[in-house]
Amino acid sequence: MSVIIRKSLLELIFSGAFMKRWNDKLRPMELVEVDKQAHKMIVAWLLFVLNSGSMDVASKRALGESIVEGGIFDYLYRLVITDIKPPVFYRIKENPADYQTLTNWVLSELRPRITPLGDDFMRRMSAYLMQPEDTGLARRILHAAHLYASYSEFKLLKSINRMDHELIEIEQSFIDRLSAMRDITGVAELLDEDSNVFGRFARMCGRLRFQKRWSQTPRVPETSVLGHLFIVAAFSWFFSMEVGACRARCQNNFFAGLFHDLPELLTRDIISPVKSSSQDIADLIHEYENRELHRVVLTPLKEGGYSVIADRLEYLLGLAVGSEFKATICQDGAVVEADEAQLAGGFNQDSLDPKDGPLLKVCDSLAAFIEAHTALKNGISSGQLHHALYRIRARYNETPVIAGVQISALLADFD
């Protein structure tokens, strides 16, 4: 069965922007599920890179695939069970019969939207969710990343909830469970994030939740740069499945989606009309982003002993070819720009480490389209939102198929 991405799946992925977290606590800002998932998967990638260095290529690809799919399965599950408090959920998991009953119900709720992804995807998801106590490395990396991302949120609200009787117990639980996973390379550094560049970078990425997209335009829901990263990454994974991308290409597309707006840690979310107002301004912004990216992120990682992470980030961000939205391969030790036809043909093989920049751009535009479309559907009337929809539609009406994705036809489903 071929994979076909439909509107309902894209809207399901986006729905995490509505889902509030810690909503029984006083919060300095709204904390939402899609932001947490983005931070979790960024940290999972960092742990993946550190813990796969000695693996052969096949084992590394298999681990990366398990981490990405496991993260997506967890997210979809979470979207359905919504607001069950963690202590209650953990009690349910302790009883296999109760957990199986809950999971069967979750799968039945997800099936109508997941079915277009194919029977194999549904089988893998069912097998993963029915085995919550799997102790493989991928599952443990995801769990450590989940704990770190949730603990990072907890630290944001800790100081304004001092009268809460649960606070001490919650924090100690995070520390104890993370400490039990110190055998995973990088977890000890996450626990002591102030004293090392690895931990500081993981924490820095979480700050992207503070930056709201479309900051001059009222929207419901508001989305952050952090949440947008996960949405684009998930879209990239599903569209990679649709176009038959190889393992390496699928993973590179997902992780490139997770980091494509990383420079906005340093520049904030500069809106498209400003970036495209003139080529001189676009070049100036790009030059500043690259300079600050090296100064604040890449150079400290390299000097701190994490060159493997810095080098991989450079590839995902397309620094060697000037843009994350250009297709690339690695050939004879060098990064080489490719075109869509090559990537869909002879370059679609793991050994070339391909990355699909044009597909990433489609997913970035589609995420922006759904943000604007959802706000308008929720009653927010704004000229900027209407103009964004018009601009995106017009762009893809001129080029209806990009990187193998029938983008124009998909946008028509939102009429």
Side-chain angles (χ1 to χ4, degrees):
M1 177 180 175
S2 61
V3 174
I4 303 173
I5 307 305
R6 301 193 187 280
K7 170 189 174 185
S8 60
L9 175 63
L10 302 179
E11 289 183 324
L12 176 65
I13 297 299
F14 181 75
S15 68
F18 290 98
M19 187 175 166
K20 305 293 190 292
R21 292 178 53 78
W22 301 93
N23 64 357
D24 61 338
K25 307 295 181 192
L26 179 62
R27 303 181 298 285
M29 59 177 291
E30 287 294 0
L31 301 172
V32 296
E33 186 65 28
V34 74
D35 292 358
K36 182 264 175 139
Q37 293 294 332
H39 199 196
K40 167 186 169 179
M41 294 309 292
I42 286 171
V43 173
W45 177 80
L46 292 170
L47 295 176
F48 162 59
V49 173
L50 289 189
N51 287 273
S52 62
S54 61
M55 293 181 177
D56 60 70
V57 174
S59 298
K60 184 181 294 190
R61 295 292 181 218
L63 177 62
E65 184 175 71
S66 296
I67 288 171
V68 174
E69 277 207 334
I72 290 173
F73 296 156
D74 287 337
Y75 177 60
L76 294 174
Y77 193 97
R78 181 69 181 143
L79 289 177
V80 177
I81 65 171
T82 60
D83 210 23
I84 298 178
K85 286 190 69 168
V88 177
F89 181 63
Y90 296 148
R91 290 292 296 275
I92 292 173
K93 287 179 73 173
E94 289 171 2
N95 186 314
D98 290 343
Y99 177 77
Q100 188 172 39
T101 299
L102 177 64
T103 301
N104 279 327
W105 174 76
V106 170
L107 290 170
S108 69
E109 291 292 302
L110 288 172
R111 189 168 284 108
R113 299 190 186 190
I114 300 303
T115 297
L117 294 174
D119 294 337
D120 287 344
F121 183 87
M122 194 68 194
R123 277 195 293 270
R124 292 195 304 273
M125 182 172 177
S126 298
Y128 177 91
L129 294 177
M130 286 296 185
Q131 299 173 8
E133 302 308 321
D134 181 4
T135 56
L137 181 57
R139 202 74 169 250
R140 296 189 72 228
I141 283 175
L142 284 169
H143 188 53
H146 154 72
L147 290 172
Y148 175 80
S150 295
Y151 190 25
S152 296
E153 290 179 322
F154 173 83
K155 291 175 183 176
L156 295 176
L157 49 84
K158 175 182 174 182
S159 64
I160 56 175
N161 285 273
R162 295 195 181 279
M163 301 301 291
D164 193 316
H165 68 283
E166 294 182 317
L167 227 60
I168 295 175
E169 182 182 344
I170 291 173
E171 181 162 31
Q172 195 58 50
S173 175
F174 281 130
I175 294 171
D176 291 346
R177 287 182 290 162
L178 274 169
S179 295
M181 306 183 83
R182 283 176 177 266
D183 58 300
I184 299 175
T185 304
V187 170
E189 287 80 358
L190 293 175
L191 274 164
D192 190 20
E193 61 187 9
D194 289 326
S195 65
N196 65 91
V197 66
F198 179 82
R200 288 195 296 272
F201 177 63
R203 181 176 59 192
M204 184 189 303
C205 290
R207 282 172 29 206
L208 284 167
R209 66 165 39 88
F210 303 145
Q211 292 180 214
K212 297 301 179 185
R213 287 170 52 80
W214 312 71
S215 58
Q216 299 176 358
T217 306
R219 288 176 304 118
V220 176
E222 287 191 330
T223 47
S224 72
V225 172
L226 185 61
H228 171 75
L229 294 179
F230 181 80
I231 291 167
V232 173
F235 286 3
S236 297
W237 181 260
F238 290 130
F239 282 117
S240 297
M241 291 174 58
E242 182 178 76
V243 301
C246 65
R247 257 184 172 177
R249 188 172 154 207
C250 286
Q251 290 173 41
N252 287 340
N253 291 348
F254 180 87
F255 293 128
L258 266 186
F259 287 103
H260 77 279
D261 279 340
L262 182 65
E264 291 183 12
L265 269 171
L266 317 167
T267 63
R268 293 200 282 185
D269 184 24
I270 301 172
I271 60 175
S272 295
V274 173
K275 289 181 179 178
S276 58
S277 58
S278 79
Q279 189 58 48
D280 288 343
I281 291 177
D283 291 343
L284 177 64
I285 292 171
H286 188 65
E287 179 187 346
Y288 177 81
E289 285 179 342
N290 280 349
R291 186 171 66 245
E292 288 299 285
L293 190 63
H294 279 87
R295 184 181 70 84
V296 178
V297 175
L298 299 175
T299 299
L301 282 171
K302 290 177 180 179
E303 292 177 348
Y306 296 98
S307 291
V308 62
I309 291 175
D311 293 344
R312 201 64 198 156
L313 277 174
E314 288 183 9
Y315 182 65
L316 294 175
L317 292 170
L319 297 189
V321 294
S323 173
E324 69 274 30
F325 296 132
K326 292 181 179 179
T328 54
I329 60 168
C330 292
Q331 198 169 45
D332 299 326
V335 178
V336 179
E337 187 174 346
D339 60 39
E340 292 178 33
Q342 291 173 314
L343 219 57
F347 287 176
N348 187 34
Q349 50 183 299
D350 288 347
S351 60
L352 294 175
D353 200 24
K355 182 176 70 70
D356 218 331
L359 185 143
L360 179 64
K361 181 60 178 177
V362 166
C363 294
D364 188 38
S365 299
L366 189 54
F369 183 92
I370 292 176
E371 287 173 342
H373 183 270
T374 303
L376 289 166
K377 189 170 67 173
N378 288 328
I380 305 297
S381 181
S382 164
Q384 285 182 306
L385 296 176
H386 282 290
H387 180 68
L389 295 188
Y390 171 79
R391 182 165 41 83
I392 293 170
R393 284 187 194 276
R395 180 194 311 159
Y396 293 112
N397 282 340
E398 291 180 5
T399 314
V401 181
I402 293 182
V405 176
Q406 300 274 351
I407 180 66
S408 181
L410 190 55
L411 291 176
D413 289 342
F414 288 87
D415 287 335

